[in-house]
Amino acid sequence: MKIIDRIQSGLTLSFEVFPPKSDKPLEPLLDTLDQLYTLKPDFISCTYGAMGSNKGRNMEVVERIQSDGVCEALSHYTCVGNTREDVLTALDEYATIGVENLLALRGDFPTGAAHTNGDFLHANELISFIRTQTGRFSLAAACYPEKHLLADSLEADIDALLKKQDAGAAFLMTQLCYSVENYQRFVDRARKRGVTLPIVAGVLPLLKKDGLVRMTLSNGCSIPAEVSALVGRYGESEESFREAGHDFTVSLVQKLIAEGTSGIHLYTLNRFEDVADLVFDAGIREKPQAKR
Ligand code: FAD
């Protein structure tokens, strides 16, 4: 099933997981997937190894999600390190394992490189290429409420978004963004510029101070004053920060839904408990009653 059909019929709930390194067992992630299924997601996405590494593991994980049959698998796929031949081979493999949905990305350049070391420089080129080869896949693309860190301006980044839309992307998935105001400003601007695709909001639950700082910095995202205050007030206590971060994320998710996002996509970091609490407390799914 194409994920875009789900999105068009109402708010979606989805999760992102990442594959273990090639020398680590897959089982812990499979257990997490079994737990995540209980939250009735519309789809689960699996990242594609940074800089083209760990390709096989991505395939193993999406095959598992697709064959479990609980929800659709969305496989991330990058330009980085991939030639036209590589893309054609990967499309065949995804088709063989029943995957119909791909998130087409450029990927981050390998350290020291200023190119993808493949045949495509930008995500829109990858999307166009796949579109000319086959209509089998529904393609999502990335967007950045606070602009991509290398884009000269938000307007320049929206130019890029329009190219991805013209190339045939079916929906957009956002980078994490802790500011609802910035998210809304981006959506308003993108809509005014002619971006019509549904936008699914990516949310990284705020659970650890170090993780927050690392992820926001590496992705060029802002830390709003409200979040800085949480770091100042609770940063020294892991447990208190987790509780305050949970409350902040619940409120963020509720505001994004109120703003009309097409879906909530939670970056799970392969964890279940925190994600489940968030899904229940934000009111996206009902908590099952404990059996007596
Ligand atoms: P592009 O759309 O190519 O944009 C990259 C930059 O080039 C931007 O500054 C843009 O403004 C500019 N640009 C775009 N098109 C053009 C054009 N035609 N001409 C000139 N300039 C242009 N990375 C991974 O390695 N693996 C993953 O699994 C992964 N998953 C992700 C999931 C999500 C939801 C998001 C938001 C990001 C993910 N990333 C992942 C990171 C992503 O690969 C990087 O942010 C990467 O630097 C940009 O990818 P993109 O597809 O947005 O690239």
Side-chain angles (χ1 to χ4, degrees):
M1 179 183 188
K2 305 279 195 287
I3 290 169
I4 184 62
D5 295 334
R6 290 280 185 129
I7 291 175
Q8 278 163 348
S9 61
L11 181 82
T12 55
L13 169 68
S14 54
F15 304 123
E16 176 188 289
V17 297
F18 60 85
K21 291 208 165 68
S22 47
D23 58 344
K24 294 276 188 289
L26 199 56
E27 283 64 30
L29 174 58
L30 299 183
D31 291 344
T32 305
L33 285 174
D34 283 339
Q35 292 178 306
L36 290 172
Y37 294 150
T38 64
L39 300 172
K40 301 188 174 59
D42 294 287
F43 63 96
I44 297 182
S45 82
C46 177
T47 61
Y48 188 84
M51 297 161 197
S53 61
N54 219 6
K55 291 183 192 178
R57 271 294 160 93
N58 158 280
M59 201 63 81
E60 262 180 276
V61 175
V62 289
E63 177 171 23
R64 184 60 183 244
I65 297 168
Q66 198 64 44
S67 68
D68 283 342
V70 176
C71 65
E72 289 302 312
L74 171 72
S75 186
H76 300 204
Y77 188 81
T78 68
C79 302
V80 168
N82 285 317
T83 61
R84 285 182 181 77
E85 275 309 304
D86 293 329
V87 176
L88 292 175
T89 305
L91 293 180
D92 272 350
E93 287 173 0
Y94 285 125
T96 305
I97 61 176
V99 168
E100 290 183 62
N101 299 277
L102 301 176
L103 171 58
L105 299 152
R106 186 191 70 183
D108 287 322
F109 293 150
T111 313
H115 198 279
T116 57
N117 289 337
D119 284 339
F120 306 100
L121 189 54
H122 286 294
N124 67 293
E125 297 169 19
L126 176 64
I127 295 168
S128 293
F129 178 70
I130 297 175
R131 273 281 147 274
T132 56
Q133 298 301 315
T134 169
R136 180 191 161 85
F137 298 95
S138 177
L139 303 175
C143 66
Y144 302 83
E146 298 175 309
K147 86 173 185 63
H148 182 261
L149 78 171
L150 296 181
D152 290 337
S153 64
L154 184 62
E155 294 303 321
D157 213 23
I158 294 175
D159 290 341
L161 220 43
L162 288 164
K163 287 184 183 148
K164 298 194 231 195
Q165 175 170 286
D166 292 345
F171 67 99
L172 299 172
M173 301 180 70
T174 77
Q175 180 58 275
L176 63 96
C177 175
Y178 290 117
S179 161
V180 181
E181 291 69 30
N182 289 352
Y183 173 87
Q184 194 53 47
R185 192 171 309 129
F186 158 73
V187 173
D188 287 350
R189 199 57 213 142
R191 296 295 183 228
K192 282 204 180 83
R193 294 278 317 276
V195 174
T196 54
L197 298 179
I199 299 176
V200 170
V203 175
L204 177 68
L206 198 57
L207 296 171
K208 288 194 172 187
K209 181 184 73 171
D210 293 349
L212 158 77
V213 173
R214 198 177 53 249
M215 296 295 281
T216 45
L217 285 184
S218 64
N219 289 309
C221 304
S222 70
I223 300 184
E226 193 185 345
V227 176
S228 309
L230 291 186
V231 175
R233 203 170 303 151
Y234 305 108
E236 298 312 311
S237 158
E238 215 171 280
E239 198 41 48
S240 303
F241 186 80
R242 177 181 297 276
E243 277 173 28
H246 169 81
D247 292 347
F248 173 86
T249 316
V250 167
S251 159
L252 174 69
V253 165
Q254 289 173 332
K255 286 177 188 163
L256 289 168
I257 294 172
E259 292 291 353
T261 186
S262 291
I264 295 292
H265 187 62
L266 297 174
Y267 302 134
T268 68
L269 304 181
N270 294 2
R271 305 169 67 94
F272 171 69
E273 302 291 344
D274 297 318
V275 169
D277 288 346
L278 175 56
V279 166
F280 297 139
D281 291 349
I284 307 178
R285 295 284 185 269
E286 258 182 56
K287 193 171 189 162
Q289 297 296 318
K291 288 197 183 110
R292 286 203 279 165

